[in-house]
Amino acid sequence: EGRVFHANSRWWVFYRNGATKTEQWVSSTDGVAWSPPSTVPTGCIINYEPNIGLSVSGSLVVYACQYSETVRDFYFDTGTLNADGSISWGYETTVSASYYVNTYEGFTTAVDTDGNYWVAFTGCSISSCGSGTYIYGTVYEHTQSGWARSFARADSSGYWWAILPLTNAKMAL
């Protein structure tokens, strides 16, 4: 998943700060002078990069991430990338992901051509996704009607799930 974007005549770089376990961003108009780091305002646990999925569509940024290590929900939010280097965030929403897993990893997010939000993640049957775990691939879609699980598959292949926007409101998994 890409972590460098260009929007509103600025370069945006999103990264995990390992010391604070937060997702941060910097921006620049020329790639030489960068803004001070700002933190994505989330209650997520970001122990490592796959715990958050972040994507940009035009000047819209969307993210999804694991709510906690013990609750099977995820957080979702959107923001607007502003020309001054700030982000106007919406209100973080908790989405009930009533799929039986112990941990989520490998979040990806996307916005389709109709403006619907998509979140894909890998869930694992034990406390971390490693050798011998049962992998649950799940995709959620948000439309005018709200959130709905649109695809789920369980196997032990070890593949990570990711979504990519196509045309005509379609997604590739």
Side-chain angles (χ1 to χ4, degrees):
E1 181 178 4
R3 310 295 287 180
V4 178
F5 306 98
H6 193 265
N8 267 341
S9 302
R10 298 186 79 85
W11 288 100
W12 301 81
V13 177
F14 291 86
Y15 62 95
R16 177 186 166 268
N17 181 323
T20 61
K21 294 185 180 179
T22 58
E23 185 75 7
Q24 296 187 324
W25 82 87
V26 293
S27 67
S28 172
T29 56
D30 61 8
V32 177
W34 292 89
S35 66
S38 296
T39 301
V40 173
T42 180
C44 290
I45 295 171
I46 306 175
N47 292 325
Y48 43 91
E49 208 62 57
N51 281 79
I52 187 167
L54 190 138
S55 60
V56 169
S57 177
S59 62
L60 177 73
V61 59
V62 298
Y63 73 81
C65 51
Q66 185 173 357
Y67 173 76
S68 79
E69 292 177 344
T70 58
V71 177
R72 293 177 182 97
D73 296 335
F74 65 86
Y75 279 144
F76 179 85
D77 200 0
T78 63
T80 301
L81 303 172
N82 299 311
D84 66 359
S86 66
I87 300 177
S88 300
W89 292 103
Y91 296 98
E92 192 169 64
T93 302
T94 302
V95 180
S96 177
S98 59
Y99 209 58
Y100 187 73
V101 295
N102 288 329
T103 188
Y104 300 130
E105 296 182 0
F107 278 93
T108 59
T109 58
V111 179
D112 70 22
T113 54
D114 284 350
N116 299 320
Y117 307 128
W118 293 76
V119 176
F121 57 86
T122 301
C124 298
S125 58
I126 60 174
S127 62
S128 66
C129 294
S131 177
T133 63
Y134 210 67
I135 307 296
Y136 298 86
T138 307
V139 178
Y140 278 78
E141 177 187 13
H142 184 274
T143 63
Q144 299 293 336
S145 304
W147 286 98
R149 189 175 74 200
S150 60
F151 178 83
R153 179 174 178 225
D155 64 31
S156 57
S157 64
Y159 293 113
W160 290 82
W161 300 86
I163 48 176
L164 298 169
L166 302 172
T167 58
N168 299 322
K170 304 270 188 230
M171 288 286 170
L173 176 64

